[in-house]
């Protein structure tokens, strides 16, 4: 259990670094284009790749930190045991959804990988480079949700999330 | 019938506490499977959402405002504005609103705005004898300016899902944003004059004003660069956000010298958490949107509205009531993502401009941010001021009326939003 949370944490922090890197790449692009009239062919594409990987790698970490956006208005009115039951049901929903997305996401990745499909853009990267993030990210999320479900009877969780913007 | 079942299923999952992203994605996936459509569409929709270049602006604007936040820019802005207008009747309240408006121009989030300005303004105003409820309401409402005055994360998301220009949306937010700021300012001055519940601040010396302004200057310049760059077409919103992030680092590291490694790393982590939370909801909504489109639900709803056409005014009134009710329980982004695909086709059929409708939606979700029991800005102010939710909620209602008044003006004069992007 702790091992999975550790993996999620490292994946999430790596995802955070990827997102910050997009800032560096795109600033470089703007400077290169306006001051040196030399637009890059890689900045836009690589930063999009960073965003995809960054988000999907961070999902499991957000779950373990209880930072996914959740509507708590109704469950917070329930007694503590009922709140726990709701959390268990919510975790089951996440497991089913992310499990299915992992399997189908893997199919998409494997199909592109075995056919050697490429993006057809300037960099012409293999499409599986982006597509692999779906089975990996959702697979990790599934594992994290299973681990949270197993740990649930012994911890103090009464909601899966927080409210953001 | 199908519509009711789908919405009931979705609301059940949401109220059960399933994170919004997975509730939307899960219902969408279930609809695809039941309808015999390829479930491959779910991972494809998720990938195609995150692949959107425009959505890169979300983490970058968040990084920009989080770095400025950690660099203590909120304090500097408030001090500068206070030095100029603090001696007016209700001057601290006016300074608070103006600081919220200025901070909104460098931040796309209402929570960040309420928290940043609230931390400095609340203790200051209460020590000067302002009524506490007024102060809490002012800050909760002032914070919502964060998503109306560009940049704005909800506008980026609205532009992405409706395939409208984010630049046009940003520019369209300026007019209503300034109107709302002036409503808040006028109300604050009148309130202070009539209640007399405040101790005036002595007029600041010119030197003091200049020193305070000098520290706030870089943030103002940054806001102007971002807006002017977008307006002139020099940057895309994503590039403006990237340049803004780089400039925010420059300002906080070299000019103000307030950013440490630890606080930078905090800003990176916080931005990543918020970005992932937001973009996953957008991805879940995309799966949901695909599914309801395959079931032809938006078409059915617009056909229903067209058949029972009572004119645009009745439509907007009804939609406003629905959004206000939803806003009691839902937070901003989920409302935009659930309701826009359902409502926009009907609204456009009635002759509403999609950019106008986006601004209208943003003001309506601003109301959702300050209506109890679930209003994000209420929680923020409650936490910052260490008071009860009920106290904050009681102070909010005059500001809620002013916001609805702005919607009324926007309905009567659509150019309030549409003039700057399209006619200037």
């Amino acid at each position: 259990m702790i091992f999975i949370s550790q993996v999620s944490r490292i994946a999430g922090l790596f995802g955070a670094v990827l997102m910050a890197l997009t800032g560096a790449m795109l600033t470089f692009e703007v400077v290169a284009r306006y001051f040196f009239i030399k637009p890059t062919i890689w900045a836009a594409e690589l930063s999009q790749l960073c965003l995809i990987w960054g988000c999907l790698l961070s999902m499991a970490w957000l779950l373990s930190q209880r930072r996914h956006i959740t509507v708590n208005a109704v469950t917070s009115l329930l007694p503590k045991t009922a709140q726990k039951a709701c959390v268990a049901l919510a975790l089951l929903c996440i497991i089913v959804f992310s499990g299915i997305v992992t399997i189908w996401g893997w199919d998409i990745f494997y199909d592109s990988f075995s056919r050697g499909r490429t993006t057809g853009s300037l960099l012409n990267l293999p499409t599986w480079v982006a597509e692999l993030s779906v089975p990996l990210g959702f697979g990790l999320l599934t594992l994290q949700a299973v681990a949270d479900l197993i740990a649930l009877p012994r911890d103090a969780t009464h909601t899966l999330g927080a409210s953001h913007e | 019938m199908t519509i009711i079942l789908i919405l009931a299923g979705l609301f059940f999952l949401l109220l059960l506490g399933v994170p919004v992203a997975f509730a939307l994605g899960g219902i969408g996936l279930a609809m695809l499977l039941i309808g015999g459509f390829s479930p491959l569409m779910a991972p494809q929709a998720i990938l195609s959402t995150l692949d959107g270049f425009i959505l890169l602006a979300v983490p970058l604007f968040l990084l920009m405002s989080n770095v400025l936040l950690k660099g203590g820019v909120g304090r500097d802005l408030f001090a500068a504005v206070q030095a100029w207008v603090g001696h007016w009747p209700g001057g601290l309240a006016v300074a608070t609103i103006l600081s919220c408006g200025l901070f909104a121009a460098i931040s796309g989030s209402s929570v960040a705005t309420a928290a940043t300005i609230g931390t400095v303004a609340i203790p200051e105003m209460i020590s000067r004898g302002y009524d506490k409820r007024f102060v809490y309401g002012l800050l909760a409402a002032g914070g919502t300016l964060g998503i109306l005055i560009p940049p704005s994360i909800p506008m980026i998301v609205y532009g992405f899902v409706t395939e409208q220009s984010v630049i046009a949306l940003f520019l369209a937010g300026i007019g209503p944003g300034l109107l709302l700021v002036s409503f808040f300012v006028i109300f604050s001055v009148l309130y202070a004059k009539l209640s007399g519940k405040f101790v005036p601040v002595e007029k600041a010396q010119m030197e003091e004003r200049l020193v305070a302004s000098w520290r706030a200057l870089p943030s103002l310049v940054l806001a102007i660069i971002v807006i002017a760059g977008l307006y002139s077409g020099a940057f895309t919103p994503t590039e403006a956000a990237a340049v803004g992030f780089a400039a925010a680092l420059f300002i906080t590291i070299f000019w103000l010298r307030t950013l440490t490694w630890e606080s930078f790393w905090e800003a990176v982590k916080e931005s990543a958490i918020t970005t992932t939370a937001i973009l996953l909801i957008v991805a879940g909504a995309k799966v949901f949107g695909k599914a309801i489109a395959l079931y032809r639900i938006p078409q059915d709803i617009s056909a229903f509205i067209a058949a029972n056409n009572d004119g645009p005014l009745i439509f907007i009134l009804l939609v406003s009531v629905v959004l206000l009710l939803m806003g009691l329980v839902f937070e901003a982004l989920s409302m935009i993502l659930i309701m826009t695909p359902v409502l926009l086709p009907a609204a456009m059929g009635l002759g509403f401009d999609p950019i106008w409708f986006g601004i209208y939606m943003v003001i309506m979700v601003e109301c959702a941010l300050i209506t109890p029991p679930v209003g994000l800005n209420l929680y923020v102010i409650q936490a910052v001021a260490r008071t009860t939710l009920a106290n904050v909620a009681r102070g909010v209602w005059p500001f809620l009326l002013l916001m609805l008044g702005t919607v009324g003006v926007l309905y009567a004069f659509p150019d309030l939003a549409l003039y700057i992007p399209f006619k200037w």
Side-chain angles (χ1 to χ4, degrees), chain B residues 87-111:
Chain B
H87 60 283
W88 292 9
L92 276 181
V94 175
T96 301
I97 287 300
L98 295 181
S99 313
C100 285
L102 287 174
F103 193 76
I106 46 175
S107 147
S109 138
S110 61
V111 171

Side-chain angles (χ1 to χ4, degrees), chain B residues 77-78 81 93-107 109-110 113-118 121 138-146 149 181 184:
Chain B
L77 269 182
F78 184 70
V81 180
V94 175
T96 301
I97 287 300
L98 295 181
S99 313
C100 285
L102 287 174
F103 193 76
I106 46 175
S107 147
S109 138
S110 61
T113 308
T116 313
I117 306 299
L138 182 77
L139 263 305
T144 67
L145 290 169
I149 294 178
V181 167
F184 286 169

Side-chain angles (χ1 to χ4, degrees), chain B residues 80-368:
Chain B
V81 180
Q82 195 194 337
W84 290 96
V85 302
H87 60 283
W88 292 9
L92 276 181
V94 175
T96 301
I97 287 300
L98 295 181
S99 313
C100 285
L102 287 174
F103 193 76
I106 46 175
S107 147
S109 138
S110 61
V111 171
T113 308
T116 313
I117 306 299
T119 314
V120 269
I122 291 175
E124 183 83 22
M125 286 182 74
I126 288 178
S127 73
R128 291 275 173 177
Y130 284 85
D131 182 59
K132 282 188 182 163
R133 283 181 195 162
F134 168 76
V135 175
Y136 302 151
L138 182 77
L139 263 305
T144 67
L145 290 169
I147 59 171
L148 182 57
I149 294 178
S152 156
I153 306 278
M155 284 183 198
I156 297 173
V157 170
Y158 178 91
F160 175 76
V161 295
T162 59
E163 297 178 353
Q164 296 295 325
S165 152
V166 171
I167 297 182
L169 283 162
F170 278 2
L171 297 173
I174 297 175
L178 292 179
L179 181 72
L180 196 52
V181 167
S182 24
F183 277 173
F184 286 169
V185 165
I186 293 168
F187 176 75
S188 300
V189 173
L190 287 179
Y191 176 91
K193 279 217 162 183
L194 296 177
S195 74
K197 277 192 194 158
F198 72 101
V199 184
V201 179
E202 51 293 343
K203 196 169 171 176
Q205 297 300 313
M206 192 44 94
E207 198 193 329
E208 204 179 314
R209 286 178 171 178
L210 292 180
V211 170
S213 304
W214 178 247
R215 275 190 78 81
L217 185 68
S219 317
L220 291 181
V221 172
L222 176 56
I224 291 166
I225 290 176
V226 168
I227 300 275
L230 285 172
Y231 186 78
S232 66
F235 307 138
T236 65
T238 306
E239 288 170 349
V243 171
F245 171 40
L249 285 175
F250 178 83
I251 290 169
T252 47
I253 294 172
F254 297 109
W255 188 315
L256 303 173
R257 299 181 186 195
T258 42
L259 194 72
T260 61
W261 256 114
E262 289 75 33
S263 49
F264 173 64
W265 181 227
E266 274 304 308
V268 168
K269 278 195 292 186
E270 273 307 310
S271 309
I273 287 176
T274 314
T275 303
T276 304
I278 290 175
L279 295 191
L280 276 182
I281 295 188
V282 181
K286 180 100 172 211
V287 178
F288 179 71
K290 265 222 148 84
I292 63 168
L294 287 170
Y295 280 64
R296 299 188 50 83
I297 289 173
Q299 291 94 322
D300 286 352
I301 292 183
S302 19
F304 175 79
I305 290 175
N308 301 278
N309 187 357
D310 289 316
L313 180 61
I314 302 288
F315 173 79
I316 282 293
L317 284 176
L318 277 178
V319 171
S320 303
V321 171
V322 171
L323 291 176
L324 276 178
L325 289 177
M326 258 187 106
L328 299 181
V329 185
F330 283 82
E331 44 71 53
L333 212 62
S334 329
M335 277 175 67
I336 291 188
L337 284 166
I338 294 171
M339 296 311 281
T340 304
V342 177
L343 292 175
L344 186 64
M348 285 171 72
L350 287 168
F352 289 106
D353 183 286
I355 299 291
W356 182 93
F357 195 73
I359 302 303
Y360 161 78
M361 286 287 279
V362 168
I363 304 180
M364 289 311 295
V365 302
E366 279 185 77
C367 296

Side-chain angles (χ1 to χ4, degrees), chain A residues 49-164:
Chain A
L49 206 55
C50 282
L51 182 67
I52 296 175
W53 276 94
C55 277
L56 294 178
L57 283 180
S58 306
M59 280 187 306
W61 179 49
L62 260 76
L63 181 66
S64 72
Q65 299 289 305
R66 309 290 181 241
R67 294 294 297 270
H68 279 292
I69 298 176
T70 306
V71 179
N72 299 331
V74 174
T75 50
S76 62
L77 304 173
L78 301 173
K80 284 274 178 292
T81 43
Q83 289 188 5
K84 261 203 170 163
C86 288
V87 172
L89 282 174
L91 282 170
L92 274 176
C93 290
I94 295 177
I95 293 167
V96 172
F97 172 72
S98 58
I100 293 176
V101 174
T102 307
I103 294 166
W104 290 105
W106 175 266
D107 278 6
I108 292 179
F109 153 73
Y110 190 74
D111 188 55
S112 301
F113 183 73
S114 51
R115 288 166 196 256
R117 210 174 274 137
T118 55
T119 54
S121 58
L122 283 172
L123 288 184
N124 209 22
L125 294 171
T127 51
W128 64 262
V129 175
E131 288 162 353
L132 180 60
S133 64
V134 173
L136 274 188
F138 277 92
L140 188 56
L141 176 68
T142 314
L143 291 178
Q144 181 70 50
V146 170
D148 283 1
L149 188 62
I150 295 171
L152 189 62
R154 280 167 289 112
D155 72 17
T157 304
H158 50 86
T159 170
L160 278 185
S163 306
H164 296 252

